[in-house]
Amino acid sequence: MFSKKNKEQNKEKEVLLAILAKIQNPITGKPLSSEPIEISRQEDGRILVKIPFAADRPAQLSVEAQIRTAWASSPLKKEKLKIEFPPAKKPANPMGIPPAKRLSSVKKVIAISSGKGGVGKSTVTIHLAAALYKQGFKVGVLDADIYGPSLGKMIGQEGKAALKIINDKIIPYDFHGIKLMSFSFFLDTGQAVVWRGPMLGKALEQFLFDIDWGELDFLLVDMPPGTGDAHLSMAQLTEVDGAIIVTTPQEVAVLDAERSVNMYQQVNIPIIGVIENMSEFICPHCSNTSEIFSRGGGSKLAEKTKSPLLSQIPLTLSLMKASESGSPLTLQEKTDDDTSSRVIEAFQQASSALQKLLAVNTP
Ligand code: ADP
């Protein structure tokens, strides 16, 4: 009995130390595994991880989020962790300016995320932006999907874009009135980029603060899929008002999406709601629907995150073609095509729900 318990505890320590070896102390830059970190089992069954160094709150949150993210994909993920720090240091900032700066001319910064790629996150971002724009809002979109920026293609601007710089600020790309910025505007078509941690944070910072966004009601940020450095950088760099999680209806997609949700919770970004994409296929010939990807994933995720299901977007040929040809359906003046109008309605529903939840009035 004794030895079984001992074995389990050794396993926990082994897994945690492997995780801590890959995470840096934000102050010294050394791996956390080289610190005298205490790992023990609490009476309530949780594994207590005591981190000895005093850091400010954002640094603590970042360390905690990294540990929890790695733990969530470890073989012991079902075990609950409690992570403790000494009292947070006040930020080295006597004026009390919060470390995450607010983008002062933007009313709401919203991260759009998904558990994995290919669920239609970018399609949803650009269509939701266009739906908000059509309802009279000033909208910007930042493609922070640095590993596979696809926004350019979706608006028919593949490869580098000619962008103006005025007073040291980049003027964003004007897409029918929506302000857009993507890493793809600086890359040749198909060019890949390898990002290292600090470079990534710097690039995101420039994309947020060195761009002349002007007055915006909404800035939608198309995040890379999954969880990782870019999300933590975003949370540290600027105040994000909330996240929308995009999922498809299948069970596995929901499991992936839950990881994103956990990560946002760790960095104190509220989940505004869930958008289920590819909810049902609408046949372009007979308009009959079929649930080819199972059903219910969006509502299940909404229930788990205690946030609303903002909308269910159907899978249609018209939406696929619109994304491929660079002309979002929600920007169209009018359409006689039944499948397109159902897609437009679904995005208008998401846009209205978002305005209500964030208490932003129609201009
Ligand atoms: P992600 O950003 O999650 O990687 P994308 O938005 O790039 O996904 O979408 C992946 C592909 O799926 C694109 O070709 C897009 O046109 C298509 N797609 C996304 N959502 C839909 C939908 N509801 N109906 C039809 N095609 C869709």
Side-chain angles (χ1 to χ4, degrees):
M1 181 70 193
F2 177 76
S3 77
K4 186 169 171 231
K5 202 171 157 201
N6 257 6
K7 251 191 210 159
E8 278 168 9
Q9 286 180 347
N10 282 342
K11 178 80 187 154
E12 289 156 20
K13 282 196 178 154
E14 200 182 293
V15 171
L16 272 164
L17 285 175
I19 289 174
L20 295 170
K22 292 195 186 131
I23 302 174
Q24 285 177 354
N25 176 328
I27 301 159
T28 62
K30 290 196 179 140
L32 284 184
S33 53
S34 62
E35 313 266 350
I37 290 181
E38 283 175 43
I39 300 169
S40 59
R41 195 48 99 146
Q42 292 204 133
E43 273 182 13
D44 64 5
R46 287 188 295 173
I47 304 167
L48 176 66
V49 185
K50 271 188 154 178
I51 315 259
F53 58 83
D56 61 21
R57 193 63 194 135
Q60 290 181 345
L61 282 174
S62 158
V63 166
E64 182 164 348
Q66 291 177 73
I67 297 174
R68 288 191 185 279
T69 308
W71 186 254
S73 35
S74 82
L76 298 178
K77 61 184 173 210
K78 291 218 171 95
E79 302 282 336
K80 292 217 161 36
L81 288 185
K82 181 175 181 198
I83 300 174
E84 262 185 24
F85 294 92
K89 269 193 186 167
K90 291 246 174 335
N93 175 358
M95 304 297 285
I97 300 164
K101 288 184 277 180
R102 209 164 162 103
L103 274 167
S104 58
S105 62
V106 179
K107 286 193 191 139
K108 299 288 173 195
V109 177
I110 297 166
I112 316 268
S113 275
S114 64
K116 58 176 184 169
V119 301
K121 176 179 48 64
S122 303
T123 306
V124 166
T125 307
I126 192 74
H127 278 81
L128 181 60
L132 286 163
Y133 177 76
K134 274 285 187 188
Q135 287 172 320
F137 292 102
K138 295 191 189 93
V139 186
V141 176
L142 169 62
D143 179 6
D145 192 345
I146 25 88
Y147 302 104
S150 58
L151 198 81
K153 184 160 186 283
M154 270 181 200
I155 55 148
Q157 170 59 53
E158 278 203 69
K160 286 185 184 155
L163 297 169
K164 277 193 213 137
I165 298 179
I166 300 179
N167 296 334
D168 285 340
K169 294 239 172 190
I170 303 174
I171 308 298
Y173 188 92
D174 181 347
F175 179 61
H176 303 288
I178 303 170
K179 293 178 178 174
L180 297 182
M181 190 46 74
S182 170
F183 282 88
S184 71
F185 294 162
F186 299 91
L187 302 172
D188 290 321
T189 314
Q191 188 185 345
V193 226
V194 181
W195 294 100
R196 293 180 205 288
M199 232 162 84
L200 171 68
K202 195 76 211 144
L204 261 181
E205 186 174 8
Q206 284 185 342
F207 263 44
L208 284 163
F209 295 101
D210 293 354
I211 297 205
D212 186 1
W213 291 108
E215 296 284 322
L216 289 183
D217 294 302
F218 293 98
L219 177 65
L220 305 188
V221 186
D222 186 356
M223 299 300 293
T227 54
D229 283 2
H231 298 80
L232 295 168
S233 298
M234 264 302 282
Q236 283 173 329
L237 287 169
T238 191
E239 237 178 275
V240 178
D241 295 285
I244 293 177
I245 312 290
V246 180
T247 183
T248 48
Q250 310 93 313
E251 195 79 25
V252 288
V254 175
L255 284 178
D256 285 330
E258 264 185 85
R259 274 195 272 277
S260 286
V261 170
N262 288 341
M263 184 211 52
Y264 280 116
Q265 285 166 344
Q266 299 307 328
V267 291
N268 286 341
I269 294 178
I271 305 296
I272 301 172
V274 174
I275 294 183
E276 186 185 78
N277 188 29
M278 310 190 190
S279 292
E280 53 181 15
F281 173 67
I282 309 180
C283 171
H285 308 295
C286 63
S287 293
N288 278 347
T289 57
S290 26
E291 288 164 344
I292 52 176
F293 290 142
S294 166
R295 60 179 301 185
S299 4
K300 209 173 270 172
L301 187 64
E303 214 174 278
K304 282 193 173 165
T305 55
K306 298 190 178 63
S307 69
L309 179 60
L310 302 174
S311 191
Q312 290 174 293
I313 317 293
L315 174 70
T316 71
L317 197 59
S318 55
L319 183 48
M320 196 275 284
K321 281 189 181 156
S323 309
E324 299 288 310
S325 66
S327 51
L329 292 178
T330 40
L331 270 187
Q332 291 182 7
E333 282 313 322
K334 78 183 204 352
T335 172
D336 298 328
D337 169 39
D338 182 44
T339 68
S340 299
S341 43
R342 281 157 78 177
V343 170
I344 295 170
E345 266 168 39
F347 278 110
Q348 282 169 345
Q349 191 189 329
S351 153
S352 306
L354 186 63
Q355 293 158 43
K356 247 191 226 149
L357 285 163
L358 297 178
V360 181
N361 296 326
T362 318

